[in-house]
Every structure is written in C-alpha cells, then in structure tokens.
Amino acid sequence: GIQVEQSPPDLILQEGANSTLRCNFSDSVNNLQWFHQNPWGQLINLFYIPSGTKQNGRLSATTVATERYSLLYISSSQTTDSGVYFCATYSGGYNKLIFGAGTRLAVHP
Amino acid sequence: NAGVTQTPKFQVLKTGQSMTLQCAQDMNHEYMSWYRQDPGMGLRLIHYSVGAGITDQGEVPNGYNVSRSTTEDFPLRLLSAAPSQTSVYFCASNDGGSGQPQHFGDGTRLSIL
C-alpha cells in the first residue's frame, strides 16, 4: 500500500517564525489532507488539497501530485499553532485514510 | 451541529473485560471509520463502513467488532480487552464522494490494565 512520510519529525520555533512541513507519498495520489492535532488531542481538518495551493489565514498548503509531495506553510507562528501536524491520503476507497507519523511542533513565546 | 460525537471520553478496563465505544454523526454521511492512535504514531484504520449494513476490515481489525444498523451510529466493540489495545480511538465520517474530507470525533482514551 501507499506510504506517507513526513518531515521533520520535530520542530521547535520561536513565536513569529515561519516554517515549512513536508509530506512525501510513495505513489501518485489524487487527494491529500492536512490535519492539526491540538494539545487536547482533537483532530482539526486544515486543508483538503489534491493539487495546487490553498491558503487559510497564516496557513497555506501546496501539493505537487506529479512529484508526490505536499507542503504546509505556517507563517508568523503563534503558541496556539503547537501540536502535531499530520498529512493523510485516501487509499483504496474514500473511507480509508493513510496517515503519516506526524510533525510535532512546539512554538515558544 | 454536533458533527461526530464519541462516548465515553475516557475509560479504564481490566484485561478480559468487554466494552463498546459509541460513535454518532449527524451529518448524514455514508462513510464512517474507526482509527486507533498509539504514542508517536499516526492513526491506523481498524474498521470502516460505507453504509448501513456494510462493514469491512481496515489495517488493524483483530480484537474488534463493528456493526452499522443505522446511518448515524457506528459502535466499536472490544470483545476481550488486552493491554495492547490501550490507545486513543477516533471515529470519523465523510460523505463518500471524492474530494470530501473526513471529520473526526474528539476521541476516546482507553486504558487496559
């Protein structure tokens, strides 16, 4: 099955800094989701982005499906951005998400 | 709009006990799924359903049963709890068509002693 790899595994930022998180997948995909798991454990859907670029406030995401990767940009980071960021893709049907291992982000004031 | 609701939020069991984790969604979604999340890992699919009366196994189904008698509800049953099933369990739903993101409940934190 498809493999999803995320980098870096851990990231520490000072408040106000920018960062880029990467997601690589082993095979071509036609869907890609980014999630934020907050410190309380809740999973929040950030983007559904099979290709191209989307922006939502300080966050934006770009997927280059032909090159099998997606990037999540966080600008002017805030302490509330802390948590774990996951990328995931449907595999074998639109109900089976395959997750990467996540990037753990800590933003310090 | 409640979205996906999971109960209980926390549970402690003894080895060998059985229990049911409840999941309900009010978005009229066809597809529902159960995942488990172990420390330092992403979520792994346990079982899923593409509609009432239809269920199938995911990546890690052993030790779990599911049923889907209504569109809204998708309970997960642990038949005989084992310490290896200590995990955080998430239920999710989506509309089934392409381009539809999954919506997750807040999770159930389960400890097996």
Side-chain angles (χ1 to χ4, degrees):
Chain A
I2 194 166
Q3 304 294 318
V4 181
E5 293 184 357
Q6 292 187 242
S7 60
D10 297 281
L11 189 57
I12 299 174
L13 297 176
Q14 207 70 30
E15 200 168 27
N18 303 328
S19 63
T20 300
L21 283 59
R22 186 177 180 102
C23 175
N24 291 331
F25 24 96
S26 60
D27 204 348
S28 59
V29 299
N30 60 5
N31 63 88
L32 196 286
Q33 299 179 49
W34 282 98
F35 295 89
H36 175 219
Q37 187 168 38
N38 63 24
W40 296 270
Q42 295 173 314
L43 273 168
I44 309 299
N45 198 303
L46 297 175
F47 294 102
Y48 184 96
I49 182 166
S51 64
T53 298
K54 288 187 178 179
Q55 180 148 10
N56 184 0
R58 296 180 296 103
L59 273 60
S60 65
T62 295
T63 296
V64 184
T66 54
E67 297 188 23
R68 303 178 187 176
Y69 73 89
S70 183
L71 302 174
L72 179 69
Y73 305 96
I74 304 174
S75 64
S76 303
S77 59
Q78 300 176 358
T79 56
T80 52
D81 295 330
S82 297
V84 183
Y85 289 81
F86 292 102
C87 62
T89 182
Y90 288 123
S91 178
Y94 292 110
N95 53 341
K96 294 187 276 186
L97 272 178
I98 306 298
F99 281 79
T103 292
R104 185 173 299 276
L105 174 64
V107 181
H108 296 304
Chain B
N1 192 341
V4 180
T5 302
Q6 292 184 235
T7 56
K9 293 191 185 306
F10 304 94
Q11 185 70 49
V12 179
L13 293 177
K14 295 181 179 178
T15 297
Q17 288 185 314
S18 62
M19 82 158 293
T20 299
L21 308 185
Q22 302 292 343
C23 176
Q25 54 94 6
D26 61 0
M27 297 173 281
N28 202 32
H29 285 166
E30 298 173 63
Y31 289 4
M32 297 186 75
S33 306
W34 276 103
Y35 298 84
R36 60 177 288 173
Q37 183 179 27
D38 299 309
M41 298 178 67
L43 280 68
R44 292 182 293 168
L45 183 65
I46 305 171
H47 284 286
Y48 65 95
S49 169
V50 298
I54 306 170
T55 64
D56 206 346
Q57 296 181 350
E59 185 182 359
V60 288
N62 292 340
Y64 307 95
N65 270 0
V66 292
S67 60
R68 184 98 178 269
S69 56
T70 66
T71 299
E72 294 77 20
D73 300 301
F74 190 42
L76 177 73
R77 297 182 186 83
L78 279 72
L79 308 173
S80 178
S84 61
Q85 293 178 304
T86 293
S87 189
V88 181
Y89 291 84
F90 287 94
C91 179
S93 73
N94 61 304
D95 203 6
S98 64
Q100 301 304 315
Q102 282 204 335
H103 300 267
F104 284 83
D106 287 345
T108 294
R109 189 174 298 273
L110 182 62
S111 294
I112 316 293
L113 305 178

mmCIF file of all heavy atoms in Angstrom, chain A residues 7-35:
data_model
loop_
_atom_site.group_PDB
_atom_site.id
_atom_site.type_symbol
_atom_site.label_atom_id
_atom_site.label_comp_id
_atom_site.label_asym_id
_atom_site.label_seq_id
_atom_site.Cartn_x
_atom_site.Cartn_y
_atom_site.Cartn_z
ATOM 1 N N SER A 7 8.241 15.091 7.287
ATOM 2 C CA SER A 7 9.469 15.651 7.848
ATOM 3 C C SER A 7 9.275 17.138 8.105
ATOM 4 O O SER A 7 8.468 17.799 7.432
ATOM 5 C CB SER A 7 10.643 15.419 6.884
ATOM 6 O OG SER A 7 10.383 16.046 5.631
ATOM 7 N N PRO A 8 9.999 17.684 9.117
ATOM 8 C CA PRO A 8 10.786 16.930 10.091
ATOM 9 C C PRO A 8 9.874 16.261 11.120
ATOM 10 O O PRO A 8 8.702 16.623 11.218
ATOM 11 C CB PRO A 8 11.627 18.026 10.750
ATOM 12 C CG PRO A 8 10.722 19.223 10.711
ATOM 13 C CD PRO A 8 9.968 19.122 9.412
ATOM 14 N N PRO A 9 10.370 15.332 11.903
ATOM 15 C CA PRO A 9 9.542 14.727 12.950
ATOM 16 C C PRO A 9 9.243 15.683 14.096
ATOM 17 O O PRO A 9 8.175 15.595 14.708
ATOM 18 C CB PRO A 9 10.362 13.521 13.431
ATOM 19 C CG PRO A 9 11.741 13.790 12.979
ATOM 20 C CD PRO A 9 11.649 14.638 11.745
ATOM 21 N N ASP A 10 10.176 16.562 14.383
ATOM 22 C CA ASP A 10 10.006 17.532 15.471
ATOM 23 C C ASP A 10 10.497 18.899 15.013
ATOM 24 O O ASP A 10 11.466 18.988 14.258
ATOM 25 C CB ASP A 10 10.780 17.094 16.720
ATOM 26 C CG ASP A 10 10.268 15.788 17.294
ATOM 27 O OD1 ASP A 10 9.237 15.831 17.971
ATOM 28 O OD2 ASP A 10 10.889 14.746 17.049
ATOM 29 N N LEU A 11 9.836 19.925 15.520
ATOM 30 C CA LEU A 11 10.189 21.293 15.133
ATOM 31 C C LEU A 11 9.899 22.205 16.315
ATOM 32 O O LEU A 11 8.817 22.151 16.904
ATOM 33 C CB LEU A 11 9.348 21.704 13.919
ATOM 34 C CG LEU A 11 9.669 22.996 13.185
ATOM 35 C CD1 LEU A 11 11.108 22.998 12.703
ATOM 36 C CD2 LEU A 11 8.708 23.156 12.015
ATOM 37 N N ILE A 12 10.904 23.024 16.645
ATOM 38 C CA ILE A 12 10.739 23.998 17.732
ATOM 39 C C ILE A 12 10.933 25.387 17.142
ATOM 40 O O ILE A 12 11.930 25.639 16.459
ATOM 41 C CB ILE A 12 11.761 23.751 18.862
ATOM 42 C CG1 ILE A 12 11.571 22.354 19.457
ATOM 43 C CG2 ILE A 12 11.606 24.811 19.960
ATOM 44 C CD1 ILE A 12 12.625 21.967 20.467
ATOM 45 N N LEU A 13 9.984 26.262 17.386
ATOM 46 C CA LEU A 13 10.022 27.606 16.828
ATOM 47 C C LEU A 13 9.839 28.651 17.913
ATOM 48 O O LEU A 13 9.187 28.399 18.941
ATOM 49 C CB LEU A 13 8.903 27.792 15.799
ATOM 50 C CG LEU A 13 8.898 26.940 14.544
ATOM 51 C CD1 LEU A 13 7.655 27.241 13.728
ATOM 52 C CD2 LEU A 13 10.155 27.175 13.724
ATOM 53 N N GLN A 14 10.396 29.818 17.633
ATOM 54 C CA GLN A 14 10.087 30.983 18.449
ATOM 55 C C GLN A 14 8.849 31.635 17.835
ATOM 56 O O GLN A 14 8.672 31.653 16.601
ATOM 57 C CB GLN A 14 11.276 31.945 18.424
ATOM 58 C CG GLN A 14 11.406 32.821 19.640
ATOM 59 C CD GLN A 14 11.808 32.047 20.876
ATOM 60 O OE1 GLN A 14 12.500 31.042 20.803
ATOM 61 N NE2 GLN A 14 11.354 32.533 22.029
ATOM 62 N N GLU A 15 7.994 32.152 18.683
ATOM 63 C CA GLU A 15 6.793 32.823 18.192
ATOM 64 C C GLU A 15 7.161 33.864 17.134
ATOM 65 O O GLU A 15 8.108 34.637 17.303
ATOM 66 C CB GLU A 15 6.073 33.492 19.362
ATOM 67 C CG GLU A 15 4.620 33.807 19.105
ATOM 68 C CD GLU A 15 3.885 34.187 20.378
ATOM 69 O OE1 GLU A 15 4.540 34.697 21.309
ATOM 70 O OE2 GLU A 15 2.670 33.941 20.445
ATOM 71 N N GLY A 16 6.420 33.884 16.040
ATOM 72 C CA GLY A 16 6.671 34.822 14.966
ATOM 73 C C GLY A 16 7.459 34.237 13.808
ATOM 74 O O GLY A 16 7.483 34.825 12.718
ATOM 75 N N ALA A 17 8.085 33.090 14.019
ATOM 76 C CA ALA A 17 8.884 32.473 12.955
ATOM 77 C C ALA A 17 7.978 31.778 11.943
ATOM 78 O O ALA A 17 6.820 31.464 12.216
ATOM 79 C CB ALA A 17 9.870 31.474 13.557
ATOM 80 N N ASN A 18 8.562 31.519 10.768
ATOM 81 C CA ASN A 18 7.863 30.782 9.705
ATOM 82 C C ASN A 18 8.406 29.361 9.632
ATOM 83 O O ASN A 18 9.550 29.097 10.043
ATOM 84 C CB ASN A 18 8.073 31.470 8.350
ATOM 85 C CG ASN A 18 7.611 32.910 8.350
ATOM 86 O OD1 ASN A 18 6.660 33.268 9.036
ATOM 87 N ND2 ASN A 18 8.311 33.741 7.594
ATOM 88 N N SER A 19 7.611 28.451 9.106
ATOM 89 C CA SER A 19 8.072 27.072 8.978
ATOM 90 C C SER A 19 7.416 26.391 7.789
ATOM 91 O O SER A 19 6.357 26.816 7.322
ATOM 92 C CB SER A 19 7.772 26.277 10.254
ATOM 93 O OG SER A 19 6.387 26.203 10.470
ATOM 94 N N THR A 20 8.073 25.331 7.326
ATOM 95 C CA THR A 20 7.551 24.512 6.235
ATOM 96 C C THR A 20 7.598 23.051 6.651
ATOM 97 O O THR A 20 8.658 22.549 7.046
ATOM 98 C CB THR A 20 8.379 24.698 4.952
ATOM 99 O OG1 THR A 20 8.340 26.066 4.560
ATOM 100 C CG2 THR A 20 7.795 23.837 3.832
ATOM 101 N N LEU A 21 6.464 22.390 6.570
ATOM 102 C CA LEU A 21 6.368 20.973 6.867
ATOM 103 C C LEU A 21 6.162 20.229 5.545
ATOM 104 O O LEU A 21 5.439 20.704 4.668
ATOM 105 C CB LEU A 21 5.189 20.696 7.806
ATOM 106 C CG LEU A 21 5.341 21.032 9.289
ATOM 107 C CD1 LEU A 21 5.654 22.499 9.527
ATOM 108 C CD2 LEU A 21 4.079 20.617 10.048
ATOM 109 N N ARG A 22 6.780 19.050 5.450
ATOM 110 C CA ARG A 22 6.746 18.329 4.187
ATOM 111 C C ARG A 22 6.090 16.969 4.365
ATOM 112 O O ARG A 22 6.255 16.296 5.395
ATOM 113 C CB ARG A 22 8.146 18.147 3.625
ATOM 114 C CG ARG A 22 8.175 17.526 2.230
ATOM 115 C CD ARG A 22 9.573 17.439 1.683
ATOM 116 N NE ARG A 22 9.606 16.850 0.356
ATOM 117 C CZ ARG A 22 9.749 17.558 -0.769
ATOM 118 N NH1 ARG A 22 9.916 18.861 -0.728
ATOM 119 N NH2 ARG A 22 9.755 16.957 -1.941
ATOM 120 N N CYS A 23 5.390 16.552 3.314
ATOM 121 C CA CYS A 23 4.746 15.240 3.270
ATOM 122 C C CYS A 23 5.082 14.608 1.923
ATOM 123 O O CYS A 23 4.771 15.195 0.877
ATOM 124 C CB CYS A 23 3.232 15.415 3.421
ATOM 125 S SG CYS A 23 2.260 13.911 3.262
ATOM 126 N N ASN A 24 5.727 13.452 1.955
ATOM 127 C CA ASN A 24 6.036 12.700 0.734
ATOM 128 C C ASN A 24 5.180 11.439 0.690
ATOM 129 O O ASN A 24 4.957 10.795 1.728
ATOM 130 C CB ASN A 24 7.505 12.289 0.701
ATOM 131 C CG ASN A 24 8.436 13.467 0.531
ATOM 132 O OD1 ASN A 24 8.076 14.473 -0.057
ATOM 133 N ND2 ASN A 24 9.640 13.337 1.068
ATOM 134 N N PHE A 25 4.702 11.070 -0.484
ATOM 135 C CA PHE A 25 3.948 9.812 -0.617
ATOM 136 C C PHE A 25 4.579 8.949 -1.703
ATOM 137 O O PHE A 25 5.159 9.443 -2.665
ATOM 138 C CB PHE A 25 2.465 10.045 -0.865
ATOM 139 C CG PHE A 25 2.097 11.363 -1.472
ATOM 140 C CD1 PHE A 25 1.908 11.472 -2.821
ATOM 141 C CD2 PHE A 25 1.929 12.483 -0.676
ATOM 142 C CE1 PHE A 25 1.553 12.676 -3.397
ATOM 143 C CE2 PHE A 25 1.580 13.704 -1.243
ATOM 144 C CZ PHE A 25 1.394 13.798 -2.609
ATOM 145 N N SER A 26 4.452 7.641 -1.498
ATOM 146 C CA SER A 26 5.201 6.672 -2.299
ATOM 147 C C SER A 26 4.588 6.415 -3.667
ATOM 148 O O SER A 26 5.243 5.851 -4.545
ATOM 149 C CB SER A 26 5.296 5.337 -1.551
ATOM 150 O OG SER A 26 4.005 4.812 -1.306
ATOM 151 N N ASP A 27 3.351 6.820 -3.847
ATOM 152 C CA ASP A 27 2.681 6.585 -5.115
ATOM 153 C C ASP A 27 1.835 7.808 -5.440
ATOM 154 O O ASP A 27 1.618 8.671 -4.586
ATOM 155 C CB ASP A 27 1.814 5.330 -5.023
ATOM 156 C CG ASP A 27 1.562 4.686 -6.371
ATOM 157 O OD1 ASP A 27 1.868 5.334 -7.417
ATOM 158 O OD2 ASP A 27 1.056 3.551 -6.414
ATOM 159 N N SER A 28 1.374 7.866 -6.668
ATOM 160 C CA SER A 28 0.562 9.020 -7.049
ATOM 161 C C SER A 28 -0.758 8.996 -6.276
ATOM 162 O O SER A 28 -1.321 7.934 -6.008
ATOM 163 C CB SER A 28 0.302 9.007 -8.555
ATOM 164 O OG SER A 28 -0.352 7.818 -8.922
ATOM 165 N N VAL A 29 -1.214 10.163 -5.891
ATOM 166 C CA VAL A 29 -2.463 10.288 -5.162
ATOM 167 C C VAL A 29 -3.309 11.365 -5.821
ATOM 168 O O VAL A 29 -2.783 12.256 -6.494
ATOM 169 C CB VAL A 29 -2.241 10.649 -3.672
ATOM 170 C CG1 VAL A 29 -1.441 9.560 -2.980
ATOM 171 C CG2 VAL A 29 -1.579 12.001 -3.515
ATOM 172 N N ASN A 30 -4.617 11.286 -5.648
ATOM 173 C CA ASN A 30 -5.493 12.339 -6.156
ATOM 174 C C ASN A 30 -6.243 13.026 -5.024
ATOM 175 O O ASN A 30 -7.268 13.656 -5.228
ATOM 176 C CB ASN A 30 -6.470 11.777 -7.179
ATOM 177 C CG ASN A 30 -7.359 10.701 -6.599
ATOM 178 O OD1 ASN A 30 -7.315 10.433 -5.399
ATOM 179 N ND2 ASN A 30 -8.165 10.085 -7.422
ATOM 180 N N ASN A 31 -5.702 12.855 -3.799
ATOM 181 C CA ASN A 31 -6.295 13.542 -2.663
ATOM 182 C C ASN A 31 -5.242 13.632 -1.572
ATOM 183 O O ASN A 31 -4.355 12.772 -1.490
ATOM 184 C CB ASN A 31 -7.515 12.773 -2.142
ATOM 185 C CG ASN A 31 -7.138 11.405 -1.629
ATOM 186 O OD1 ASN A 31 -6.796 11.224 -0.464
ATOM 187 N ND2 ASN A 31 -7.165 10.404 -2.508
ATOM 188 N N LEU A 32 -5.309 14.670 -0.766
ATOM 189 C CA LEU A 32 -4.322 14.847 0.290
ATOM 190 C C LEU A 32 -4.954 15.773 1.323
ATOM 191 O O LEU A 32 -5.532 16.818 0.956
ATOM 192 C CB LEU A 32 -3.026 15.462 -0.268
ATOM 193 C CG LEU A 32 -1.727 15.425 0.535
ATOM 194 C CD1 LEU A 32 -1.739 16.403 1.694
ATOM 195 C CD2 LEU A 32 -1.414 14.025 1.039
ATOM 196 N N GLN A 33 -4.885 15.360 2.594
ATOM 197 C CA GLN A 33 -5.440 16.184 3.654
ATOM 198 C C GLN A 33 -4.359 16.520 4.669
ATOM 199 O O GLN A 33 -3.493 15.679 4.953
ATOM 200 C CB GLN A 33 -6.587 15.446 4.356
ATOM 201 C CG GLN A 33 -7.750 15.108 3.436
ATOM 202 C CD GLN A 33 -8.857 14.365 4.128
ATOM 203 O OE1 GLN A 33 -9.320 14.747 5.194
ATOM 204 N NE2 GLN A 33 -9.303 13.273 3.522
ATOM 205 N N TRP A 34 -4.445 17.700 5.237
ATOM 206 C CA TRP A 34 -3.602 18.107 6.355
ATOM 207 C C TRP A 34 -4.491 18.299 7.584
ATOM 208 O O TRP A 34 -5.559 18.916 7.508
ATOM 209 C CB TRP A 34 -2.878 19.418 6.061
ATOM 210 C CG TRP A 34 -1.693 19.281 5.157
ATOM 211 C CD1 TRP A 34 -1.641 19.505 3.808
ATOM 212 C CD2 TRP A 34 -0.359 18.921 5.551
ATOM 213 N NE1 TRP A 34 -0.362 19.297 3.339
ATOM 214 C CE2 TRP A 34 0.440 18.945 4.387
ATOM 215 C CE3 TRP A 34 0.244 18.586 6.755
ATOM 216 C CZ2 TRP A 34 1.805 18.645 4.384
ATOM 217 C CZ3 TRP A 34 1.591 18.290 6.779
ATOM 218 C CH2 TRP A 34 2.360 18.315 5.614
ATOM 219 N N PHE A 35 -4.009 17.764 8.709
ATOM 220 C CA PHE A 35 -4.711 17.876 9.986
ATOM 221 C C PHE A 35 -3.787 18.486 11.031
ATOM 222 O O PHE A 35 -2.576 18.288 10.999
ATOM 223 C CB PHE A 35 -5.148 16.498 10.504
ATOM 224 C CG PHE A 35 -6.167 15.792 9.660
ATOM 225 C CD1 PHE A 35 -5.765 14.961 8.626
ATOM 226 C CD2 PHE A 35 -7.519 15.938 9.906
ATOM 227 C CE1 PHE A 35 -6.699 14.291 7.849
ATOM 228 C CE2 PHE A 35 -8.468 15.267 9.139
ATOM 229 C CZ PHE A 35 -8.043 14.447 8.110
#
